[in-house]
Amino acid sequence: MYSETEDVIRALAENAEGVCRAYLPAGRREGSYWIVGDLQNNPGRSLFVRLTGPTSGPGAAGKFTDGATGEHGDLLDIIRERTGISRFPDLLTEARAHLGRPQSVLPNTPVPKKPKAPGGTPAAAARLFAASVPVAGTLADTYLRARGLTQGGMTSALRFHPKCWHRDEGQTRSIPRPALIAAVTDGAGALQGVHRTWLAHDGEGKAAVKTQRRAMGHLLGNAVRLTPHDDILVIGEGIETMLSLSEAAPGLPVWAALSSGHLGAVLLPEGLQRLYIAIDRDPAGQRAAERLSARATEVGIAVRVLEPLLGDFNDDLRANGKEALRQHLAGQIGLEDRQRLLG
């Protein structure tokens, strides 16, 4: 016999396409999958929701995977992300309402509280960023310095939150953990989202959880603008990767797109003359660089690709030091920009 929760989950799986149409309307069905950009319902082809299959177990209907971020989960996770509902009983209530089922009747039901503002929106992201503090002297500073990065406290795009809510795969409640918070902004400088990296309690590494990073808000086309751009710009994936370039070459303006999927979609600023794309040494990063390079070339922007010796530029920095990294970059930077390597 199934519990009420299991029954709701099975019913959602049997109606997986209807759930996707209601909560991820920017996507569309292709074969056995619903395809959309991400859990924030941005257009794209990164997140895949299985629409057919058994109601549980391997290959079950309703399971999703985001190829850009590695996030995965089920239809209840999608509903939670899109509505901002954190309490599991309230989440089941929302699911029952979607399915058209009557709600459970409890004795002495209290007067419902005013619903919270939806999570995952730019407004929610702005609240989290405003509640955070500058990086200098915090666990976020400790974390960055452990990775050879001393400039994290110099950028207003990064902040620290000592108790940022985290819920891992299979958990029914959130736990407050320290986190590095990064502002995702648009071309006008308006905050559109945040990226969270949960940290160990001593700050010496990431938290020992399955999902160590997660973004919220509108990411597509936007970026973490770590330093202001001018007529040149360096764009790559990870925050630590791009801070590594700043460490070795402080005169280079750097942005972090946060993933290979978003790297290929970053909106380039007007007046840009030369673009450097800092790739990670993997196929996904190379494909994203090709997409971004093609878009830049179409509008007359000169493009060069910067390649690390190891997996990414933070690996290079930690293994070889910033002077060796600076020399490695000097061989890839155009002659007109070599003077920027030292700031």
Side-chain angles (χ1 to χ4, degrees), residues 4-5 8-9 12 23 76 79-80 83 85-106 109 112:
E4 182 184 9
T5 298
V8 169
I9 293 173
L12 289 173
Y23 294 96
L76 275 179
I79 295 174
R80 176 187 287 112
T83 61
I85 295 172
S86 58
R87 294 184 66 253
F88 192 70
D90 296 338
L91 188 63
L92 286 182
T93 297
E94 172 71 16
R96 291 191 205 97
H98 171 78
L99 294 168
R101 294 187 170 195
Q103 303 300 328
S104 299
V105 178
L106 301 176
T109 301

Side-chain angles (χ1 to χ4, degrees), residues 62 65 70 120 237 272 332:
T65 300
E237 295 183 36
L272 191 65
Q332 303 182 66

Side-chain angles (χ1 to χ4, degrees), residues 24-324:
L24 296 172
R28 65 178 181 176
R29 179 168 187 159
E30 292 189 17
S32 299
Y33 293 91
W34 188 264
I35 302 177
V36 70
D38 51 33
L39 283 175
Q40 285 71 51
N41 192 41
N42 289 309
R45 299 180 56 81
S46 177
L47 189 141
F48 294 76
V49 186
R50 183 180 288 276
L51 300 180
T52 62
T55 54
S56 62
K63 297 291 185 180
F64 75 83
T65 300
D66 189 324
T69 66
E71 290 181 272
H72 54 88
D74 57 23
L75 294 170
L76 275 179
D77 293 316
I78 290 174
I79 295 174
R80 176 187 287 112
E81 184 68 26
R82 296 301 301 136
T83 61
I85 295 172
S86 58
R87 294 184 66 253
F88 192 70
D90 296 338
L91 188 63
L92 286 182
T93 297
E94 172 71 16
R96 291 191 205 97
H98 171 78
L99 294 168
R101 294 187 170 195
Q103 303 300 328
S104 299
V105 178
L106 301 176
N108 300 321
T109 301
V111 176
K113 296 181 180 179
K114 182 180 179 180
K116 294 174 65 177
T121 64
R127 289 194 296 272
L128 176 59
F129 195 72
S132 304
V133 299
V135 163
T138 68
L139 285 180
D141 202 5
T142 302
Y143 165 74
L144 293 173
R145 290 179 182 275
R147 299 182 68 99
L149 305 169
T150 63
Q151 305 299 311
M154 304 294 288
T155 172
S156 60
L158 299 180
R159 293 175 73 87
F160 171 71
H161 198 296
K163 295 182 178 181
C164 181
W165 291 106
H166 176 275
R167 185 186 61 81
D168 221 336
E169 179 76 15
Q171 291 181 339
T172 57
R173 67 187 185 91
S174 297
I175 298 173
R177 300 182 185 277
L180 173 67
I181 309 296
V184 179
T185 53
D186 61 19
L191 191 143
Q192 296 294 332
V194 294
H195 182 271
R196 296 155 288 177
T197 302
W198 282 279
L199 308 177
H201 289 289
D202 61 1
E204 292 295 326
K206 298 184 186 71
V209 292
K210 292 180 181 179
T211 304
Q212 297 175 319
R213 305 171 184 265
R214 187 171 287 151
M216 62 188 293
H218 297 163
L219 273 63
L220 197 66
N222 302 315
V224 179
R225 290 162 165 80
L226 293 166
T227 58
H229 77 279
D230 44 39
D231 60 335
I232 75 164
L233 178 62
V234 187
I235 303 180
E237 295 183 36
I239 294 166
E240 296 90 340
T241 295
M242 302 315 293
L243 284 176
S244 298
L245 293 182
S246 282
E247 197 74 28
L252 295 178
V254 296
W255 292 2
L258 300 176
S259 72
S260 59
H262 290 103
L263 175 61
V266 170
L267 297 178
L268 300 174
E270 293 184 6
L272 191 65
Q273 297 180 17
R274 296 181 299 283
L275 173 67
Y276 293 93
I277 305 175
I279 66 170
D280 290 355
R281 194 173 282 281
D282 57 42
Q286 292 170 355
R287 289 194 298 269
E290 290 170 0
R291 292 194 301 272
L292 182 57
S293 178
R295 289 176 43 230
T297 302
E298 285 179 359
V299 294
I301 300 172
V303 180
R304 286 176 180 257
V305 174
L306 305 180
E307 296 190 37
L309 292 170
L310 303 174
D312 61 42
F313 285 106
N314 189 240
D315 291 338
D316 286 6
L317 176 67
R318 289 188 289 168
N320 304 318
K322 65 181 181 181
E323 182 57 37

